[in-house]
Amino acid sequence: MMRAIRVQWQGAAWFDWGLTETLKAQNQIRVASSSYTVSDVYPVGSRIKVVSNNATVYGTVTTLSTSSSAVIVDIAPDSGTVTSTVTSVAASIIDPAGLPLPDSVTTNNPNLMINPNFQVAQLGVSFTAATTPLNSDDTYLFDQWILLSDGNDAVDVTQETSVVPAGSGTAIKLEVETANKKFGLLQPLENLDTVNLDGSILSLSFMARNAASDDKTDVVKAVVLAWSSTADAITSDVVSAWNADLTIPTFATNWTAENTPASLTLTQVYQTFTIENINLDTASTANLALFIWCDNADGAIDDAVYISNIKLEESVTATEYTAPLIEDDLHKAQRFLCKSFNQSVTPGTAATVGSPYFAWTASTVQKACPIVFPITMLSTPSVVAYAPSDGSSGNIDSALTPRTAIIVRPGQNGVSVGTNDANSAQSITFHYVATSQL
């Protein structure tokens, strides 16, 4: 029984329609008239298997023609020839028009980047020289993306929702605020994700454009960097020296470029740029990072660069980008930063919605409320408390009055937040932001 099943499924790709087929000429068979339409059974371009003189010949149907009441099927054999008595003929179940099994299968590899289209913005959607955080060099702004620039206030950084690629809802806009400065974005990968890629080949794709034809910010470059020092203790400012216009920066100690960055010229429409076959061959790599930067050192104020749809993957070639679901992307980002504020509310805002609340009946000096983080964080986080009444950092509220906060026993999975203020009432409420970034 099992042998019969095995034999059946070994030949499952072929179907014998039970037609009357005879040899017409070399590599030609004659199909007698039947209730079936022969062009449906043996369409041009389909695969065919012919058993002739105890030899099996595989080939492709090239042409169909009629002769009297029969149809003549011409075959291009893979090897051998059909020259003698035809014992059986079987058609492939694969329809050449439908191509359920194409010659090459398009894969969609996992994206190693978190927040590749800048849709997660837990710290805010716009960063300038007057915001918290500032638009300063070596600063996390959008989740998992670090702004690097030749000095502070080089560019304003905004979540863009209008000038975006087709089919995408968001992008990042980097607008020049200090002329003649280079700038870029860095995303590091943690060690546990990096070690799985040792010796692998990566490919990168992303979309970018500039704002206007006279913008000087018209060349971007991209590089995968390998960190060969202590795991998860990286130098986040990967640039040691930005160097001259269109000259690749000097990278910081222990960072090695895994590909040679080439100039990618921007226009006023989004283009997809690909860098493929990036061989990860740096010994003792502990972390990886992707760095995309504008290599122009002559940008004028208000020149702008837009970037979105970034995909770094384990593959010899770049495959199709698929935007992540917001809930998946946010969950990944919360391993490095999570907050109690609503997602649309910038930390430090006076807001009571969503703030944890803890009340008790007995009088006590120290009061603390336990918090469980939505996901295990990278490491023990830095936790900042905020008073909901006025948004002040380092405080909690008790009876709507800000009191000095205490952070108790922070860990990867949670923390307690409270106060030692003897004047506090028998309840506390607060917001928090927990960060555990590379």
Side-chain angles (χ1 to χ4, degrees):
M1 177 66 178
M2 294 302 295
R3 181 180 182 278
I5 294 174
R6 176 177 61 80
V7 170
Q8 168 65 29
W9 282 103
Q10 282 179 329
W14 303 97
F15 188 81
D16 188 337
W17 289 82
L19 304 179
T20 302
E21 296 112 343
T22 56
L23 182 70
K24 170 67 174 176
Q26 179 172 299
N27 298 330
Q28 278 189 335
I29 59 172
R30 178 182 183 276
V31 184
S33 176
S34 73
S35 60
Y36 295 106
T37 302
V38 175
S39 60
D40 291 339
V41 176
Y42 301 123
V44 172
S46 66
R47 300 288 291 164
I48 192 169
K49 179 175 77 171
V50 181
V51 179
S52 173
N53 195 26
N54 296 323
T56 300
V57 176
Y58 294 92
T60 302
V61 176
T62 57
T63 59
L64 300 175
S65 57
T66 57
S67 175
S68 301
S69 59
V71 175
I72 308 304
V73 180
D74 288 279
I75 303 167
D78 297 342
S79 62
T81 56
V82 180
T83 58
S84 57
T85 303
V86 173
T87 305
S88 67
V89 180
S92 170
I93 65 172
I94 308 301
D95 179 358
L99 295 177
L101 292 177
D103 292 338
S104 60
V105 178
T106 299
T107 58
N108 194 349
N109 299 315
N111 194 347
L112 299 172
M113 295 287 95
I114 296 173
N115 200 19
N117 57 358
F118 307 95
Q119 64 179 335
V120 182
Q122 295 192 90
L123 294 179
V125 296
S126 181
F127 305 95
T128 69
T131 60
T132 301
L134 299 169
N135 60 340
S136 297
D137 178 38
D138 194 20
T139 303
Y140 272 96
L141 299 178
F142 291 106
D143 285 65
Q144 280 309 96
W145 290 103
I146 302 171
L147 173 67
L148 297 180
S149 55
D150 186 6
N152 297 330
D153 195 27
V155 287
D156 284 346
V157 182
T158 308
Q159 185 187 67
E160 179 64 36
T161 57
S162 296
V163 183
V164 296
S168 183
T170 50
I172 192 170
K173 179 182 180 181
L174 302 147
E175 185 176 47
V176 175
E177 293 301 307
T178 303
N180 307 324
K181 299 292 185 180
K182 295 185 181 183
F183 54 89
L185 299 168
L186 179 86
Q187 181 169 144
L189 274 67
E190 67 171 287
N191 173 260
L192 291 178
D193 288 334
T194 297
V195 293
N196 296 325
L197 300 170
D198 184 38
S200 298
I201 294 176
L202 303 185
S203 289
L204 168 69
S205 62
F206 66 95
M207 300 189 75
R209 57 164 287 175
N210 61 8
S213 59
D214 60 351
D215 279 7
K216 300 293 186 181
T217 51
D218 60 358
V219 172
V220 295
K221 295 178 180 177
V223 67
V224 174
L225 297 170
W227 172 255
S228 54
S229 188
T230 305
D232 293 339
I234 65 170
T235 300
S236 57
D237 191 349
V238 302
V239 177
S240 174
W242 284 95
N243 297 331
D245 183 59
L246 303 182
T247 301
I248 296 171
T250 303
F251 296 117
T253 303
N254 297 319
W255 283 111
T256 302
E258 299 294 88
N259 62 286
T260 301
S263 294
L264 307 172
T265 303
L266 303 180
T267 64
Q268 292 75 62
V269 296
Y270 276 102
Q271 303 172 75
T272 298
F273 298 101
T274 59
I275 302 172
E276 299 176 319
N277 201 29
I278 303 170
N279 189 14
L280 303 182
D281 56 6
T282 295
S284 303
T285 296
N287 293 87
L288 292 172
L290 173 64
F291 182 38
I292 303 174
W293 76 98
C294 177
D295 209 33
N296 302 102
D298 59 352
I301 293 176
D302 293 337
D303 287 356
V305 172
Y306 301 85
I307 302 173
S308 191
N309 295 9
I310 303 169
K311 184 176 185 180
L312 183 66
E313 59 188 300
E314 186 179 3
S315 176
V316 174
T317 58
T319 63
E320 182 180 2
Y321 168 85
T322 300
L325 296 175
I326 181 62
E327 58 266 32
D328 294 339
D329 221 14
L330 175 60
H331 193 62
K332 291 178 181 179
Q334 286 173 329
R335 178 164 169 79
F336 306 92
L337 187 151
C338 60
K339 66 178 185 177
S340 56
F341 294 93
N342 282 354
Q343 286 302 305
S344 61
V345 177
T346 301
T349 302
T352 58
V353 174
S355 59
Y357 178 86
F358 185 61
W360 59 96
T361 57
S363 177
T364 180
V365 174
Q366 186 180 84
K367 311 158 185 75
C369 175
I371 298 296
V372 177
F373 299 139
I375 185 174
T376 298
M377 302 196 75
L378 172 68
S379 58
T380 298
S382 171
V383 180
V384 177
Y386 296 85
S389 60
D390 62 2
S392 58
S393 64
N395 291 326
I396 58 94
D397 272 346
S398 182
L400 300 180
T401 301
R403 311 284 184 181
T404 301
I406 57 170
I407 307 300
V408 183
R409 297 177 181 175
Q412 288 178 273
N413 294 299
V415 66
S416 291
V417 178
T419 183
N420 279 329
D421 194 322
N423 295 316
S424 62
Q426 290 179 299
S427 66
I428 58 172
T429 184
F430 57 89
H431 279 295
Y432 75 90
V433 173
T435 56
S436 177
Q437 295 164 323
L438 293 167

